[in-house]
Amino acid sequence: MKEVLQINKKYQLRSISNGVRVLAGYLMVFAFHWIKGSSLLSELGFYLFMLGGCLVSFLPAFYLHIAYYITNRRTIVEVDKEKQLITVTDKKGRHVILASDVKQVIRVVQRDYRLPDWEQNWFTLPWRKYGYLKLVTHDSAVFLLTSLILDPINPPIKETETQYKFLPDLNKTVEEELTQTEIESQIRQEVESFKQKFKNYSEQELVEKISMKGYRKEAVMAAEELLKEKHTCQQELKHT
């Protein structure tokens, strides 16, 4: 069974849904002052402040929505999971991509998603749910599939890598693949960074980092190493 992806109301509304929450917050502020009978409602400065704050917070969402729409307005994607086949039809024509043709599927989402689940969306951003998949083939063809046609958090095409950005603006460039040594070096640097952050944590706090879901693997590795070091140190003290 094929899944057909293209710009539709469902995914456009999903993309702007966080903006609706922010707008509701502004309305609640207005309603609070109205119920309170605040004199601010009679001052032009109050409305200019509210309008300015609204424009500043929504400009990135407007920019992303327009950019995403222009990119995918003529894009139709057919995903056939049984045949392991992806067909992309865009302004350049029809492209049939086999699973073996895919080199990378990079998911680019707002960096709030890198936090543990219970810490996400505390500071609500109107553009939080915008994101995209960058599908790269072995012959370096790049296809950008935005949140206006799919859910980048649970995409129909499995991602091979996730990138977190404050503003997930579109980027069609293809980065050179890192060697295994370079990847391991980057992971080691992140682990050491987390170890510095966790070094004063108690054993119970470290166990929580290891056992609770939502933490990055580098953070878990750092907690495991620190816990092991603490146990080793305790054993050495017992034998002295």
Side-chain angles (χ1 to χ4, degrees):
M1 183 177 177
K2 291 182 181 179
E3 183 174 358
V4 180
L5 309 170
Q6 61 186 112
I7 290 179
N8 58 53
K9 290 180 181 178
K10 173 186 174 182
Y11 288 113
Q12 290 198 78
L13 289 172
R14 186 191 178 282
S15 295
I16 67 173
S17 60
N18 237 48
V20 173
R21 292 180 60 179
V22 174
L23 188 60
Y26 281 107
L27 292 175
M28 287 176 65
V29 171
F30 181 85
F32 171 78
H33 286 288
W34 182 75
I35 294 170
K36 191 179 177 182
S38 174
S39 60
L40 283 174
L41 297 181
S42 61
E43 297 181 12
L44 178 62
F46 172 75
Y47 294 98
L48 291 176
F49 176 78
M50 292 282 284
L51 179 62
C54 194
L55 286 175
V56 169
S57 59
F58 275 91
L59 277 176
F62 290 147
Y63 161 72
L64 290 178
H65 202 101
I66 292 169
Y68 285 15
Y69 187 87
I70 291 172
T71 298
N72 282 156
R73 71 186 185 280
R74 297 179 184 173
T75 303
I76 300 175
V77 182
E78 296 177 24
V79 181
D80 191 328
K81 293 185 178 180
E82 288 185 6
K83 295 182 179 180
Q84 296 288 291
L85 195 69
I86 302 168
T87 304
V88 180
T89 304
D90 57 21
K91 61 183 179 180
K92 293 182 179 180
R94 189 168 181 268
H95 316 270
V96 179
I97 306 166
L98 299 172
S100 57
D101 297 330
V102 178
K103 180 181 179 181
Q104 290 176 295
V105 181
I106 303 170
R107 175 173 58 182
V108 183
V109 292
Q110 212 280 326
R111 67 186 184 191
D112 180 69
Y113 284 103
R114 75 189 303 171
L115 298 173
D117 293 344
W118 61 89
E119 291 184 20
Q120 291 181 12
N121 215 19
W122 283 14
F123 184 73
T124 304
L125 295 172
W127 64 92
R128 178 179 183 264
K129 293 194 175 180
Y130 286 87
Y132 63 95
L133 294 185
K134 182 194 291 186
L135 193 156
V136 184
T137 63
H138 286 289
D139 59 359
S140 298
V142 179
F143 301 93
L144 302 180
L145 311 178
T146 72
S147 56
L148 301 190
I149 66 173
L150 53 74
D151 178 2
I153 302 303
N154 298 294
I157 306 168
K158 182 63 179 175
E159 74 282 359
T160 59
E161 176 188 343
T162 300
Q163 295 180 0
Y164 300 94
K165 298 177 66 176
F166 178 70
L167 187 70
D169 52 330
L170 299 174
N171 181 356
K172 208 169 184 177
T173 58
V174 180
E175 299 176 0
E176 291 185 11
E177 286 191 47
L178 298 175
T179 65
Q180 186 60 34
T181 301
E182 290 172 327
I183 292 172
E184 290 174 358
S185 176
Q186 283 191 356
I187 292 173
R188 189 69 247 164
Q189 287 177 6
E190 292 193 39
V191 170
E192 291 300 326
S193 177
F194 277 113
K195 286 179 74 173
Q196 285 298 314
K197 184 178 178 181
F198 300 159
K199 65 180 180 180
N200 295 322
Y201 281 25
S202 66
E203 288 191 13
Q204 180 60 38
E205 288 173 318
L206 292 174
V207 169
E208 287 177 1
K209 296 287 184 188
I210 296 168
S211 59
M212 297 182 82
K213 294 181 179 180
Y215 286 108
R216 291 174 58 193
K217 66 177 183 180
E218 293 85 357
V220 173
M221 289 171 63
E224 288 175 338
E225 290 184 14
L226 284 171
L227 198 58
K228 186 176 180 180
E229 290 171 10
K230 283 178 178 286
H231 288 165
T232 301
C233 185
Q234 290 171 0
Q235 290 295 326
E236 290 176 352
L237 288 174
K238 286 181 180 179
H239 290 99
T240 57

